[in-house]
Amino acid sequence: MRKKIPTITRPDPAYAATLQQGDREIPGKEDEAQVTATKTGTPVADVGADRHESERAPKSAVAPHHVTAESSDPHTSLRAPVSARALSPTRKIDIRVNALERQEGALEACGVEPAHVVRAALRRAVKGWQLSPVFAAVAEERRTRNTQWQARTSLAVDAASLGVLLRDHDPLDVLSKWALIRGQVEPRIWGEIDKILEEIAVRAASPHEQPGP
């Protein structure tokens, strides 16, 4: 008489474990992926893909280090651009400028202190000016003898251009540096004095604005 084989009516954990081992599935993997997906909000398929990708990658693999210009020299991006003029060396020269005799009458009648006009003209004349290495002879114009109208200051000039002037016109370095650049500076200042006097005259001749009602 044959032994009756009982009918299986519920899942057999032992039998299911043998099937998962045959398919090379590790028990608990699906549950672990499900828990990870629940915590991170990532789909189960993505979690499994990430795990398989990490298992295939060798442990010694290290992400390559990208070297850029900024990382190799951190100061490159922090340094402000420097103009060529700021890099060129300069040399200071003391200058003394008088107005011309022909300008005395207009300076006295302009209604502004003549010394202020001369100083303003000096500031305008040297703003943005660059010393030329080509020597200019001193003008023979007659200067005023009123020393109170004299403007004195120190002026920074390009050292290379001054060196050319020294080499060509004062190789023994016995003259004052002002004598070397005077022919370039004085005419500019006298021209600015004339412009300021003209501006003052035009302003004085224009009718005053009538006050509103």
Side-chain angles (χ1 to χ4, degrees):
M1 184 175 179
R2 294 183 179 180
K3 186 178 179 180
K4 187 177 180 180
I5 300 175
T7 303
I8 299 174
T9 60
R10 65 178 183 273
D12 189 350
Y15 181 73
T18 58
L19 292 179
Q20 291 174 358
Q21 290 291 346
D23 293 338
R24 295 183 181 180
E25 293 286 345
I26 300 175
K29 283 292 183 178
E30 293 295 329
D31 296 339
E32 183 182 347
Q34 184 67 36
V35 172
T36 304
T38 303
K39 291 182 179 180
T40 61
T42 308
V44 178
D46 295 343
V47 173
D50 294 340
R51 181 181 294 108
H52 292 315
E53 194 70 23
S54 62
E55 290 175 357
R56 286 197 301 267
K59 294 182 179 180
S60 60
V62 180
H65 179 63
H66 299 284
V67 180
T68 60
E70 285 117 352
S71 62
S72 61
D73 187 3
H75 300 287
T76 303
S77 59
L78 298 179
R79 292 177 181 172
V82 181
S83 63
R85 180 181 177 184
L87 293 175
S88 60
T90 59
R91 184 168 176 178
K92 286 188 176 181
I93 298 178
D94 293 331
I95 65 175
R96 303 175 303 277
V97 180
N98 285 5
L100 297 175
E101 281 190 355
R102 65 171 178 81
Q103 296 171 333
E104 288 181 353
L107 285 169
E108 291 175 345
C110 70
V112 180
E113 181 65 33
H116 294 167
V117 175
V118 177
R119 294 190 190 102
L122 172 61
R123 288 192 300 268
R124 291 187 184 185
V126 300
K127 184 178 181 180
W129 171 74
Q130 288 291 314
L131 177 65
S132 171
V134 180
F135 178 75
V138 177
E140 297 181 356
E141 296 274 1
R142 294 177 63 89
R143 285 85 171 165
T144 179
R145 296 183 180 181
N146 192 336
T147 57
Q148 294 181 353
W149 298 356
Q150 187 180 78
R152 304 187 62 173
T153 187
S154 59
L155 183 64
V157 300
D158 181 62
S161 298
L162 181 63
V164 174
L165 294 174
L166 284 169
R167 182 194 63 197
D168 296 340
H169 301 279
D170 188 21
L172 299 179
D173 197 8
V174 295
L175 299 176
S176 69
K177 306 305 176 291
W178 170 231
L180 291 174
I181 71 171
R182 188 174 180 179
Q184 298 186 40
V185 178
E186 278 187 327
R188 294 177 59 88
I189 299 173
W190 296 332
E192 292 296 338
I193 292 176
D194 290 334
K195 291 180 182 178
I196 294 175
L197 291 174
E198 183 178 354
E199 292 172 6
I200 294 174
V202 170
R203 184 178 294 271
S206 62
H208 298 287
E209 296 182 0
Q210 296 295 331

